[in-house]
Amino acid sequence: MVSTIQNTDVKQKDADRAVVVAVTSRAVFESGADGDDVYGMGVAFPLLQALQRVNERLLEENPAESLLFDVVLITTDSQQQQQSSRIISSTRHYGLEVSRFCFSSEEDFVESLQKNNVQLFLSTDRNEVPQASQKGVLSALLDRQEAPSEQLRVMFCGDAVNRPDAGPMPASRQAAQSFSAQLGEMRQRFGMSDSPLSIVLMTSHGGRESCGGALRTLRSRGVNVDEAYCLAGAPLSPILSVVRPHFLLSDGFSGLED
Amino acid sequence: MSGQVKELKVSPSSNGDSRGSWEEKDEFDQDHLGLTTKPKLPKPENAVTIAVSSRVLFRTEREQEVYLQKGVEEYLRYQIEHENEPFAPGPAFPFVKALEAVNTRLRELYPQSEELFDIVLVTYNHAHVGIRLINTINHHNLFIERFCMTGGSSPIGYLKAWHTNLYLSADADKVREALAEGIAAATMFMTENLTEVSESQLRVAFDGDAVLFSDESERIFKAHGLDKFFEHERDNEDTLLDHGPLKGFLEALGKLQKKFYAKGHRLDCPIRTFLVTARSAASSGIRALKTLRAWGLEIDEALFLAGAPKGPMLEKIRPHIYFDDQMFHVEGAAEMGTVAAHVPYGIAQKHNLKQNSNVGK
């Protein structure tokens, strides 16, 4: 059973132009003590604030801007579903720019994503992410971050691991392409310095040709990358802890380097 | 691009499977990737990692002008327009080529070892310049497969992440930051009329005080003069000098040298190190030698100039790079065709600031 509630506090976005990002409420809020009216801030809280800041800056540049992030809070946890009013009141309490609340079960949350035209799904749950991915929804796993940045930092992994047993993922790749193109367009609204959004490319295994190829491919889609890291086999986590992306997108990005 | 047929499939579990969060990419089959035709790259902690900025590896003066005169947007536009024009070699170029020559010899003798030089391009350029930099690396046939283009943020965190043993940059502030973090670093400048250097033997020259050693003796000299300095050194002959910012790098070079010696290549070792110091052999130099010996560091040639100018001596040695803490010596070396790098460390820097050297960035 899927239900959607609009947040009347927030102006609804243009359905044709907005970039719909769904984040699980479990990622955004942390359950506090029972009896608290309001949830604590979860792992994805800084991310939501960063998305919001991008919107604010986009509207500063052009008050009629329609290419904005449209954030949907999706609740897949039946426990949290019972707390739906608390989710809504917490959202209002923090002034989060969430336009819709979706409530579904673990079985049909992907249906909910598709119904809501979600272009990017973010979750802390390791099972939900591949489930959505398999049905063609671009998805990424959220991890706890130390000192998350105010600037929205999105990382594309240019040479996602190719495993021989994998099945093809055309839908996901399509989703990845259109999302990256929209992100690229958003990025162009801002100058080189002081941008609320930074697009980061990382190639973890390939050498410089891999990275060069990915840069060219992204550029051909209208995505100008701000930062590029070519690791050529070096361990990821030391570099990732300096780059501090809010999330990584590798799903659907294999073959960027061709 | 590599001529290999790659499988364009993505595993359903490539993102967020049960094994790990963002790090499961560690497992892979190298044969599927573009690295089979090139030697495998070492893990950063096993290698001697040299981080170079784009402005010292290549010549980018014209582009710098555009940046300073017209701002970052125009600068990036210019770079993209000239994307297919490779940059000319910069002051660190011969040094990097020599590092690669040493690697070739090391791989011959120790094919499985990761104890090699690893060169990483670390630049705070935007990735818009990336394609031009990659084209340039290709053009000059350099073996650089790793880089960080930070798009304007500080590269210092990345230096640590790469276990950097030496950082070379045109930006003195960044170099100072690196030194403050305990990373050996030096500022390089473009010089015209460079003397030709060896393509088969890496030659690295170091000043002593405030480079290999601390600046404690230099402080005495600056505060109390030469006589006091000699007296102090004599009195403390058997006390080791404290270490300076480049001691670790000399140590790393020594480790690699020993690998050649172990296979009978002492006489034709492709790494040679030099100490070029204003100290005198008969007196103050003794303390320097005793310190090096106590540290277990061999230096191939020690030249005690007793205050004589360093330029002519360096011209004879022809190092790929010479490290000194005093701009006066760096400039003197450059005048005579030696690539000299400034280590902005210690008491001499107060003096440098007063001189207000305007050596180009």
Side-chain angles (χ1 to χ4, degrees), chain B residues 61-347:
Chain B
E61 288 109 298
R62 212 175 316 138
E63 289 73 15
Q64 281 304 110
E65 266 306 297
V66 175
Y67 175 72
L68 291 169
Q69 308 246 339
K70 303 196 184 154
V72 66
E73 316 269 341
E74 191 50 47
Y75 162 77
L76 292 173
R77 215 184 331 261
Y78 182 93
Q79 291 278 30
I80 293 173
E81 229 176 83
H82 296 260
E83 208 162 71
N84 293 316
E85 293 168 33
F87 295 112
F93 192 93
F95 175 62
V96 167
K97 274 292 200 193
L99 296 174
E100 290 185 358
V102 176
N103 273 358
T104 307
R105 293 278 303 270
L106 280 169
R107 284 197 171 98
E108 278 166 25
L109 296 172
Y110 300 91
Q112 301 306 320
S113 174
E114 294 211 326
E115 289 173 331
L116 297 160
F117 287 113
D118 187 22
I119 301 141
V120 182
L121 183 67
V122 177
T123 171
Y124 48 108
N125 254 312
H126 274 85
H128 294 224
V129 192
I131 292 173
R132 190 175 185 189
L133 286 170
I134 293 171
N135 286 344
T136 304
I137 292 171
N138 289 343
H139 172 86
H140 292 290
N141 219 3
L142 292 171
F143 187 63
I144 297 176
E145 301 290 351
R146 292 174 160 162
F147 45 84
C148 285
M149 297 176 195
T150 71
S153 21
S154 170
I156 303 300
Y158 297 104
L159 295 179
K160 289 186 177 174
W162 285 107
H163 297 266
T164 302
N165 294 87
L166 176 67
Y167 173 52
L168 299 172
S169 169
D171 184 329
D173 291 328
K174 295 282 171 294
V175 168
R176 264 185 286 266
E177 258 186 80
L179 288 173
E181 297 288 334
I183 300 168
T187 321
M188 297 188 82
F189 312 93
M190 193 56 221
T191 342
E192 309 296 341
N193 305 319
L194 289 179
T195 343
E196 230 179 78
V197 285
S198 166
E199 286 186 8
S200 55
Q201 183 184 60
L202 171 69
R203 298 161 75 84
V204 184
F206 300 86
D207 174 30
D209 295 284
V211 173
L212 288 180
F213 312 117
S214 75
D215 68 339
E216 59 194 80
S217 302
E218 222 162 84
R219 283 174 185 268
I220 306 246
F221 169 62
K222 286 217 153 40
H224 305 291
L226 198 56
D227 286 336
K228 204 68 189 167
F229 166 76
F230 278 129
E231 198 188 297
H232 181 263
E233 293 306 290
R234 202 174 42 243
D235 291 343
N236 289 284
E237 207 175 271
D238 292 315
T239 314
L240 298 184
L241 286 160
D242 214 349
H243 68 88
L246 259 68
K247 179 215 173 196
F249 181 59
L250 176 63
E251 211 161 3
L253 291 177
K255 254 183 90 177
L256 292 179
Q257 282 180 307
K258 290 198 173 73
K259 297 187 75 156
F260 287 103
Y261 302 163
K263 298 250 175 169
H265 289 283
R266 189 176 268 272
L267 288 181
D268 63 336
C269 182
I271 302 175
R272 196 159 180 82
T273 56
F274 303 83
L275 172 67
V276 181
T277 172
R279 286 175 179 251
S280 0
S283 51
S284 50
I286 295 175
R287 193 177 175 202
L289 285 179
K290 285 193 174 182
T291 304
L292 286 173
R293 200 167 299 147
W295 287 346
L297 294 183
E298 290 184 29
I299 205 151
D300 295 303
E301 288 183 41
L303 298 127
F304 299 97
L305 298 175
K310 297 188 178 182
M313 186 56 67
L314 287 166
E315 211 219 336
K316 291 201 167 55
I317 296 174
R318 304 199 173 192
H320 291 90
I321 191 168
Y322 166 60
F323 297 100
D324 199 304
D325 66 308
Q326 301 194 45
M327 276 307 298
F328 171 71
H329 289 303
V330 169
E331 282 159 0
E335 265 164 42
M336 300 209 62
T338 298
V339 173
H342 181 225
V343 184
Y345 170 81
I347 191 73

Side-chain angles (χ1 to χ4, degrees), chain A residues 126 134 139 141 143 162 166-167 192 205 207-209 219 225-232 234 248 254 258, chain B residues 1 8-12 15-16 21-22 25 35 41 73 83 126-128 138 142 144-147 149 158:
Chain A
R126 294 179 198 294
Q134 271 163 29
S139 312
L141 190 66
D143 225 341
N162 299 327
M192 289 324 303
H205 306 300
R208 63 178 187 267
E209 283 312 320
R219 195 158 72 180
V225 174
D226 292 291
E227 303 169 42
Y229 302 95
C230 187
L231 268 56
L248 271 108
S254 71
D258 293 334
Chain B
M1 212 171 263
L8 299 177
K9 295 180 208 157
V10 180
S11 154
N15 205 344
S21 54
W22 296 345
K25 301 177 208 304
L35 288 177
L41 288 163
E73 316 269 341
E83 208 162 71
H126 274 85
H128 294 224
N138 289 343
L142 292 171
I144 297 176
E145 301 290 351
R146 292 174 160 162
F147 45 84
M149 297 176 195
Y158 297 104

Side-chain angles (χ1 to χ4, degrees), chain A residues 143-159:
Chain A
D143 225 341
R144 182 165 292 281
Q145 283 195 307
E146 277 192 37
S149 84
E150 289 200 351
Q151 179 193 55
L152 178 67
R153 297 172 63 72
V154 180
M155 178 181 266
F156 295 143
C157 297
D159 57 355

Side-chain angles (χ1 to χ4, degrees), chain B residues 17-30:
Chain B
D17 80 352
S18 52
R19 215 162 358 101
S21 54
W22 296 345
E23 294 169 39
E24 70 257 21
K25 301 177 208 304
D26 282 10
E27 280 174 38
F28 61 95
D29 179 2
Q30 266 201 320

Side-chain angles (χ1 to χ4, degrees), chain A residues 17-19 55 58 64-69 182 185-186 189:
Chain A
R17 283 285 278 158
V19 181
N55 280 354
L58 284 167
E65 180 64 74
S66 54
L67 180 66
L68 299 167
F69 285 117
Q182 284 181 301
E185 206 188 323
M186 260 188 196
R189 306 279 197 260

